[in-house]
């Protein structure tokens, strides 16, 4: 069965500082990996996704993530955090193909301080 | 493209009552998903439709839960005899037939008193 671990429940960073959110997955085949962001009271917005090809994936809002098969990781990064990035971030793994049963991690809540 | 919409956004009900939620997917999407999200957790898969066919149901979907997508467009999720443990955010998502990205709606927050 597929699973996702996000080891950090809360992270606090200063505005302008760099950010890295950790994600480790468990899946038997080549995974389909996603990062979503959720603002309070809102649905989830896709930041980026990895299906195949280049292991460094660029997303929206200046985010990027790197797929490392040897470490079963898909960490999310941003070089300079803005106050508007404060939200909850979810890493997810999917089965692939035309059908996507997506399994989410428990999320990392990001706080940005001035 | 107006995105995935869900109605109502909030629902407060008393234990034992029935509730029904509606999801309108992006019009060209033939795949529709329901998830449940409780406080401090990520969304958990409940069920999945391809057109009007319900192809998979999670064990989380007890007998009190039923989902339909009668014409392959909008979907409803009904919870009968609600319990306090049903309090959660219910999220709907849709995707293209051959695509792998799910687009999420804003969710329906259910509170069972």
């Amino acid at each position: 069965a597929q699973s996702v671990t996000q080891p950090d429940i809360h992270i606090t960073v200063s505005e302008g500082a760099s950010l890295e959110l950790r994600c480790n997955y468990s899946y038997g085949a080549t995974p389909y990996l996603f990062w979503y962001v959720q603002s309070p009271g809102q649905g989830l917005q896709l930041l980026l996704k990895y299906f195949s090809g280049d292991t460094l994936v660029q997303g929206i809002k200046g985010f990027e993530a790197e797929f490392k098969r040897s470490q079963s990781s898909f960490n999310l990064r941003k070089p300079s955090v803005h106050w508007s990035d404060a939200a909850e971030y979810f890493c997810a793994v999917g089965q692939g193909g035309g059908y996507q049963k997506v399994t989410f991690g428990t999320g990392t809540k990001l706080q940005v301080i001035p | 493209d107006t995105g995935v919409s869900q109605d109502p956004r909030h629902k407060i009900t008393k234990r034992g009552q029935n509730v029904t939620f509606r999801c309108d997917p992006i019009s060209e999407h033939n795949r529709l998903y329901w998830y449940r999200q409780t406080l401090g957790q990520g969304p958990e898969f409940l069920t999945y439709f391809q057109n009007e066919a319900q192809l998979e149901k999670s064990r989380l979907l007890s007998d009190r839960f039923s989902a339909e997508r009668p014409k392959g467009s909008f979907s409803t999720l009904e919870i009968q005899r609600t319990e306090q443990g049903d309090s959660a955010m219910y999220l709907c998502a849709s995707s293209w037939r051959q695509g792998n990205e799910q687009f999420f709606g804003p969710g329906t927050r259910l509170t069972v008193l």
Side-chain angles (χ1 to χ4, degrees):
Chain A
Q2 59 201 48
S3 66
V4 176
T5 301
Q6 293 181 250
D8 303 306
I9 298 174
H10 293 277
I11 282 186
T12 300
V13 300
S14 299
E15 190 168 15
S18 63
L19 172 70
E20 182 168 24
L21 302 182
R22 296 183 290 166
C23 171
N24 291 95
Y25 69 89
S26 174
Y27 185 64
T30 300
Y32 287 63
L33 295 163
F34 309 86
W35 274 100
Y36 284 87
V37 61
Q38 186 176 38
S39 298
Q42 302 298 312
L44 289 92
Q45 181 183 21
L46 182 70
L47 287 175
L48 47 79
K49 59 189 177 185
Y50 171 78
F51 293 159
S52 64
D54 192 345
T55 56
L56 185 62
V57 180
Q58 301 297 321
I60 62 171
K61 304 184 179 185
F63 286 92
E64 67 177 26
E66 186 171 12
F67 170 59
K68 293 185 177 179
R69 184 187 300 275
S70 61
Q71 299 176 19
S72 297
S73 70
F74 189 58
N75 294 349
L76 181 71
R77 301 193 294 250
K78 187 170 185 178
S80 178
V81 170
H82 188 262
W83 64 266
S84 60
D85 293 324
E88 191 153 21
Y89 292 80
F90 292 93
C91 182
V93 62
Q95 292 178 317
Y99 161 52
Q100 275 288 327
K101 177 180 176 180
V102 177
T103 299
F104 287 84
T106 51
T108 297
K109 189 165 288 187
L110 173 66
Q111 181 181 7
V112 181
I113 56 176
Chain B
D1 179 1
T2 57
V4 179
S5 61
Q6 293 187 245
D7 184 69
R9 295 290 307 274
H10 302 274
K11 178 71 177 179
I12 299 174
T13 191
K14 293 181 179 179
R15 188 176 52 188
Q17 298 295 304
N18 299 343
V19 295
T20 300
F21 310 142
R22 176 179 170 127
C23 170
D24 286 271
I26 294 172
S27 58
E28 312 87 79
H29 291 182
N30 74 333
R31 296 175 181 227
L32 187 147
Y33 308 80
W34 285 99
Y35 292 84
R36 182 174 69 186
Q37 185 178 22
T38 53
L39 200 61
Q41 300 296 317
E44 296 172 291
F45 171 81
L46 291 179
T47 189
Y48 152 69
F49 289 86
Q50 181 172 317
N51 299 313
E52 65 275 10
Q54 188 174 19
L55 298 186
E56 185 168 346
K57 296 193 319 184
S58 163
R59 292 176 213 172
L60 293 174
L61 217 63
S62 75
D63 292 344
R64 297 183 297 105
F65 288 70
S66 63
E68 293 183 343
R69 196 183 182 199
K71 297 183 180 179
S73 57
F74 73 92
S75 175
T76 58
L77 177 68
E78 181 183 15
I79 309 174
Q80 297 182 328
R81 305 181 304 280
T82 52
E83 302 172 356
Q84 288 184 327
D86 298 330
S87 295
M89 174 80 88
Y90 291 84
L91 295 165
C92 176
S94 68
S95 69
W96 294 101
R97 178 176 182 176
Q98 296 299 331
N100 294 294
E101 175 181 341
Q102 294 181 21
F103 293 83
F104 282 81
T108 295
R109 181 167 296 283
L110 172 66
T111 302
V112 181
L113 302 176

